[in-house]
Amino acid sequence: STLKKTAHLLHTEDIELYCAKIPQRINKIPQQTFDIVFLDPPFYCDLIKPTCEKLATSSYLAKNTIIYIEAEKEIDIEDIIPKSWQILRQKIVGQVGNYLLANFPTIN
């Protein structure tokens, strides 16, 4: 609901929002590529790594997709994210780690 409110405040019309439990229900999201992905799973449930892996091997990420992750501050983000993802910014606020990443897939 916060994303919908923000989009409205910014007068953004070209936006589609999907909410899904990943990695288990990724197939509930229509097959398309996304420019921005927000990951905010329940803390301490070990969902970040399998979710990142599932997204990295899916066709959902556009080239240069921006990924925002909110997770418990104790995670080692460099150990969790796929090699094609680059950390753009990271910040710890209280008990929460905020990570802004970009998907830069390698060219074959």
Side-chain angles (χ1 to χ4, degrees):
S1 66
T2 301
L3 293 174
K4 287 180 183 178
K5 290 176 189 175
T6 302
H8 179 73
L9 287 172
L10 296 173
H11 304 287
T12 304
E13 296 177 17
D14 187 20
I15 187 170
E16 293 180 45
L17 300 171
Y18 297 94
C19 183
K21 291 182 180 182
I22 300 174
Q24 306 93 327
R25 305 190 117 201
I26 196 168
N27 61 342
K28 297 292 182 184
I29 301 171
Q31 284 295 321
Q32 60 184 315
T33 57
F34 291 91
D35 298 315
I36 302 172
V37 174
F38 293 91
L39 301 178
D40 186 11
F43 287 6
Y44 305 106
C45 292
D46 296 321
L47 292 171
I48 292 290
K49 187 168 185 161
T51 299
C52 291
E53 289 170 352
K54 189 73 167 181
L55 283 171
T57 59
S58 75
S59 59
Y60 288 111
L61 300 182
K63 184 178 178 188
N64 303 331
T65 295
I66 298 296
I67 302 116
Y68 175 79
I69 297 175
E70 244 181 49
E72 59 273 14
K73 71 176 185 176
E74 296 85 1
I75 68 166
D76 181 358
I77 195 70
E78 291 182 16
D79 186 47
I80 290 174
I81 62 173
K83 294 193 184 309
S84 63
W85 295 11
Q86 179 181 352
I87 300 170
L88 302 176
R89 293 187 185 161
Q90 58 184 342
K91 185 176 181 181
I92 304 295
V93 179
Q95 300 298 314
V96 180
N98 302 286
Y99 308 93
L100 186 63
L101 310 152
N103 176 47
F104 296 124
T106 55
I107 299 171
N108 294 333

